[in-house]
Amino acid sequence: MTDDTPLALTLGDPAGIGPEIALAAWRARIARGVPPFLMIGDPEFLEATANRLGLFVPVAEVEPESAVEVFPKALPVWPLPSGARVAATPGAPSPANAGAIIESITAAVDLVRSGRASAVVTNPIAKFVLTQVGFAHPGHTEFLAALAAGPGGVAPLPVMMLWSESLAVVPITIHVALRRVPDLLTQDLVERTARIVAAGLRERFGLANPRLVLAGLNPHAGEAGTMGSEDRDVLAPAVARLRSEGIDIRGPLPADTLFHERARATYDVALTPTHDQALIPIKTIAFDDGVNVTLGLPFIRTSPDHGTAFDIAGQGIARPDSLIAALRLAHRLANRS
């Protein structure tokens, strides 16, 4: 890709903070080096949002090919291909917008796969809104994997990496109850996840020999099986297999000593058995500028490391930092491809 190709930014849930942080990101384009992006949505809705918030943001309805040229002087918006319009009250999500939310994601993927955009950057959505209209996917990322597979194809395993300049983490199990983790944490899942992470760091981030570390599930990584057998019987054999394949990975190691500054200097990414083992440290260290990167897809996808924030939507106080970081990282990765 080249700098002549924009990033494709999705609408997200229009009742959340996505539209306003997109407007704020455009306003920061010079001061914070925001690369050109094309928003996919309803130009009239975005213009009305800017006016309601008192933001001077000119909105231009464009085709993707002219987005980069327009970007310095106006926010380029590509209308939803169906012509759907959006009406939303901040903080009041409605299934009436579910179709537009889904269409924006689908259109962004189509633009990237056809070469008309360089990467997908997704604004936050709320799954409970989409399920009311029959959305059958477990989440945003799984929907992107299904789009990557195409009709009748086998979806790739998408891996969520939370990235910042200070720390990158990958939760091996994600949105599941803790009591389910030991059953889901198989040696195969650990190995597949680590292979995708290692490949993604090589291919997307340009690390010739990425250094991985695996946190233990139990306190003290199981203490030789005295505090649970998963570290000894599942995680350790997975690490041994991965090392035999030439992947630089250590573990399982006690999670409580993996995230201080000296420890972080010894690896490029930390894999953790549970969701919170990964997200607590990165949200402590990089709360405002963490980025969600999906590895394992045939296209680049980043997103802000936060949700829809319905509770503050429409108040003009949402910070665009994470979206700006997601846009900048997507541009960086696209220009490596």
Side-chain angles (χ1 to χ4, degrees), residues 135-152:
F135 186 76
H137 301 277
H140 207 162
T141 301
E142 291 83 0
F143 180 46
L144 289 164
L147 293 175

Side-chain angles (χ1 to χ4, degrees), residues 60-73:
E61 182 176 324
V62 301
E63 289 296 315
E65 289 73 18
S66 61
V68 172
E69 179 183 357
V70 168
F71 187 78
K73 51 185 178 291

Side-chain angles (χ1 to χ4, degrees), residues 16 34 77 123 133 149 161 204 235 252 259 266 289:
V34 179
V77 181
N123 262 315
V133 297
M161 179 170 73
R204 300 289 195 208
L235 302 187
F259 299 106
T266 67
D289 54 6

Side-chain angles (χ1 to χ4, degrees), residues 6-217:
L7 304 167
L9 176 63
T10 67
L11 174 67
D13 193 305
I17 62 172
E20 60 193 90
I21 61 175
L23 294 166
W26 182 84
R27 283 169 55 86
R29 66 198 181 284
I30 298 172
R32 300 185 61 177
V34 179
F37 64 86
L38 169 71
M39 194 155 188
I40 303 168
D42 179 353
E44 292 182 6
F45 170 75
L46 289 163
E47 188 170 32
T49 300
N51 291 338
R52 178 172 48 76
L53 293 170
L55 301 176
F56 178 69
V57 179
V59 174
E61 182 176 324
V62 301
E63 289 296 315
E65 289 73 18
S66 61
V68 172
E69 179 183 357
V70 168
F71 187 78
K73 51 185 178 291
L75 173 64
V77 181
W78 191 43
L80 295 166
S82 69
R85 295 296 182 183
V86 173
T89 301
S94 169
N97 288 315
I101 296 168
I102 294 169
E103 185 181 3
S104 180
I105 300 167
T106 302
V109 171
D110 288 343
L111 286 179
V112 172
R113 303 206 75 179
S114 66
R116 302 174 76 192
S118 59
V120 175
V121 181
T122 57
N123 262 315
I125 65 172
K127 183 190 167 189
F128 75 88
V129 175
L130 305 187
T131 56
Q132 295 179 64
V133 297
F135 186 76
H137 301 277
H140 207 162
T141 301
E142 291 83 0
F143 180 46
L144 289 164
L147 293 175
V154 177
L157 174 66
V159 171
M160 179 176 77
M161 179 170 73
L162 287 305
W163 177 92
S164 73
E165 293 287 356
S166 303
L167 174 65
V169 292
V170 171
I172 298 171
T173 64
I174 306 179
H175 298 128
V176 298
L178 280 175
R179 69 177 62 192
R180 295 185 57 206
V181 169
D183 292 333
L184 296 173
L185 193 68
T186 63
Q187 182 176 335
D188 179 65
L189 177 62
V190 175
E191 292 174 6
R192 291 173 66 200
T193 302
R195 291 182 190 114
I196 290 169
V197 171
L201 291 179
R202 285 194 302 268
E203 296 163 8
R204 300 289 195 208
F205 287 79
L207 299 179
N209 186 35
R211 301 167 301 164
L212 282 58
V213 67
L214 175 63
L217 172 65

